[in-house]
């Protein structure tokens, strides 16, 4: 399993196609959410995924500060091979990349409620009440670097 980390401009046409395909398969088709998955944040994001001979196994994008939130963020978290710990491993890699790229002490995310436990085990803390985003229950969570 190979970890790939690329800016939008570094992505090949094939890689971008595979990313959009797997995101569409999970978020639009599987979760039955009708929304524009490809958005204005993709070009400024760092795209990260685990891949092997069978294709993308897990994917996230790291968003810089002052895009979705004042803090950096991790979004579009998915695993095509569930219950193997790939999502957790990839989110931890995303935290490492954020620490390397940005001077910050906090990461903010909006997480689907059903994966709250995964994020809490990584170290994220719930910071909002539950709300609906494209019909799916979400919560805002934050990860704090250091002694905060």
């Amino acid at each position: 399993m190979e970890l790939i980390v690329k800016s939008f401009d570094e992505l090949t046409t094939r890689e971008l196609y595979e990313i959009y395909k797997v995101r569409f398969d999970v978020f639009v088709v599987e979760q039955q959410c009708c929304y524009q998955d490809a958005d204005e944040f993709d070009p400024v994001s760092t795209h990260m995924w685990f891949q092997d001979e069978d294709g993308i196994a897990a994917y996230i994008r790291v968003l810089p500060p002052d895009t979705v939130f004042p803090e950096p963020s991790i979004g579009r978290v998915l695993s095509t091979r569930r219950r193997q710990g790939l999502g957790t491993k990839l989110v931890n890699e995303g935290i490492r990349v954020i620490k390397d790229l940005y001077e910050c002490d906090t990461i903010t995310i909006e997480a689907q409620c059903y994966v709250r436990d995964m994020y809490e085990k990584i170290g994220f803390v719930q910071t909002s009440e539950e709300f609906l985003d494209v019909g799916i229950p979400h919560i805002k969570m934050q990860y704090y670097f250091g002694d905060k």
Side-chain angles (χ1 to χ4, degrees), residues 3-143:
L3 172 63
I4 300 170
V5 179
K6 292 188 174 187
S7 70
F8 185 82
D9 291 335
E10 293 172 322
L11 295 171
T12 67
T13 306
R14 172 66 60 190
E15 288 169 335
L16 184 59
Y17 168 79
E18 294 298 331
I19 288 168
Y20 283 155
K21 182 180 183 314
V22 73
R23 284 178 17 185
F24 188 86
D25 287 347
V26 171
F27 298 122
V28 178
V29 176
E30 180 182 315
Q31 294 183 354
Q32 299 178 354
C33 294
C34 186
Y35 75 105
Q36 181 61 47
D37 176 63
D39 62 21
E40 69 274 15
F41 302 122
D42 280 326
V44 297
S45 295
T46 300
H47 300 267
M48 302 177 61
W49 67 97
F50 285 127
Q51 179 175 304
D52 61 16
E53 60 279 350
D54 294 325
I56 295 175
Y59 169 87
I60 64 172
R61 70 178 182 183
V62 169
L63 298 103
D66 298 317
T67 52
V68 177
F69 304 106
E71 306 82 18
S73 185
I74 297 172
R76 300 293 199 267
V77 178
L78 68 85
S79 177
T80 62
R81 303 179 202 163
R82 297 188 174 104
R83 308 260 186 257
Q84 295 181 20
L86 295 174
T88 299
K89 288 179 185 176
L90 195 52
V91 169
N92 279 313
E93 290 291 338
I95 292 168
R96 181 187 58 76
V97 165
I98 287 172
K99 191 173 184 178
D100 290 346
L101 289 177
Y102 307 111
E103 285 190 34
C104 67
D105 57 9
T106 306
I107 298 169
T108 301
I109 64 170
E110 289 181 348
Q112 292 186 10
C113 289
Y114 85 94
V115 288
R116 174 184 321 168
D117 289 347
M118 177 194 82
Y119 286 110
E120 286 176 342
K121 287 177 185 169
I122 292 169
F124 283 87
V125 176
Q126 182 174 339
T127 59
S128 78
E129 296 297 317
E130 188 175 301
F131 60 93
L132 290 179
D133 186 14
V134 292
I136 296 177
H138 281 70
I139 52 171
K140 191 178 282 188
M141 301 185 84
Q142 291 191 311
Y143 179 93

